[in-house]
Amino acid sequence: MKLRRLLALTVAVPAALAIAAVPAIATDSGATSSATTATGTIEVGPLYGPADNTGKATVRASVPCGPDATAFRFVVRSPGANERVFGGSFLGTPLPADHVADSSVVGPRALFPLGAAAQEGVAHKLVAQCYTTVDGVLTITEPASVDLRVNGGVWSALSPEARVLPTKIGALRFGLVLFRGFAPAEHVDGAVRAADGTLTPVSLQPQIAPDGTWGGALLTLPSTLADGSYSLVLSGTNSHAASSVAITLDSSRLWW
């Protein structure tokens, strides 16, 4: 009966960067620009790649620059490092007719080229900048951005999500895990992480990530895993994108 309840819960969930240090940019009149808060995102293709000079990509803003803007560029901001121009001109690349910033005009470029600070475990922000000049005053707006993360030597623009039903797992050591946001059709690996950082692999079946929707899998944990609090960590086999969710093991309960 409880298994039917568990399966019913699953159905109820909705299926459902040329390198350059960037100084403040000034116009001939000496005025400097101010940035606005990004409201759009940036589409990165491919969705992941090696965090070195071979990991090339093209990027495109999801929203256009303003009607008076004439040029664009993309920059990457990494913690503790100067921001870098990516996929365009240091001084700005002319905007196309649709006013959407798109680095494909210059072709694929390395997101983390030689000398770039591709630190792991931090967010590197990729930002689209639009240039507008009125009466000799340059204004730079930033309508779109996306976070890039590096895990296991791979950068990714993915932001996966994971959920577990239930979050308190009993003596039978199984439940259901729901996930989305991994690269379509990639395998998703699972492990539980203890407070000391120890990782124990777990079984997910099936483990293929769907395209943009929620996927479900049966989660089975080793019977030898001690009771206590853990993080269930899901990671893409190729993208290394990861998401985690807190779970508790309690053998005093059969289910939850």
Side-chain angles (χ1 to χ4, degrees):
M1 183 66 179
K2 289 189 176 182
L3 178 57
R4 286 200 295 271
R5 287 172 54 199
L6 194 58
L7 293 173
L9 282 171
T10 310
V11 175
V13 175
L17 306 149
I19 303 175
V22 182
I25 297 176
T27 63
D28 292 340
S29 63
T32 58
S33 65
S34 60
T36 58
T37 301
T39 57
T41 188
I42 294 176
E43 301 158 3
V44 183
L47 292 170
Y48 60 90
D52 56 27
N53 63 329
T54 67
K56 297 181 178 181
T58 58
V59 302
R60 176 182 171 87
S62 67
V63 294
C65 294
D68 296 325
T70 58
F72 75 91
R73 72 178 187 180
F74 291 94
V75 296
V76 177
R77 295 175 180 144
S78 298
N82 290 328
E83 64 181 24
R84 310 183 309 280
V85 175
F86 166 77
S89 169
F90 175 75
L91 297 176
T93 300
L95 277 164
D98 62 5
H99 271 221
V100 176
D102 189 340
S103 77
S104 62
V105 66
V106 296
R109 293 290 187 272
L111 277 166
F112 292 93
L114 293 175
Q119 309 104 302
E120 302 211 1
V122 300
H124 305 263
K125 191 168 291 293
L126 173 63
V127 180
Q129 295 186 329
C130 304
Y131 288 13
T132 304
T133 304
V134 177
D135 295 331
V137 178
L138 172 65
T139 300
I140 300 177
T141 57
E142 298 180 348
S145 68
V146 69
D147 285 348
L148 304 172
R149 295 188 179 274
V150 180
N151 292 308
V154 177
W155 62 259
S156 167
L158 298 162
S159 299
E161 301 175 68
R163 300 177 185 177
V164 177
L165 302 172
T167 56
K168 182 174 286 187
I169 298 175
L172 293 181
R173 290 295 190 260
F174 75 85
L176 290 172
V177 61
L178 304 167
F179 52 85
R180 69 176 176 183
F182 292 97
E186 80 169 326
H187 282 241
V188 178
D189 298 321
V192 289
R193 181 172 58 216
D196 64 0
T198 302
L199 288 171
T200 302
V202 298
S203 173
L204 294 176
Q205 294 297 331
Q207 63 178 135
I208 301 297
D211 186 357
T213 62
W214 286 97
L218 179 65
L219 167 67
T220 307
L221 292 84
S223 59
T224 54
L225 205 58
D227 285 357
S229 298
Y230 297 86
S231 292
L232 172 66
V233 181
L234 302 187
S235 59
T237 303
N238 298 319
S239 69
H240 293 203
S243 181
S244 64
V245 60
I247 61 171
T248 302
L249 304 187
D250 183 356
S251 295
S252 69
R253 300 165 178 262
L254 186 62
W255 294 90
W256 64 86

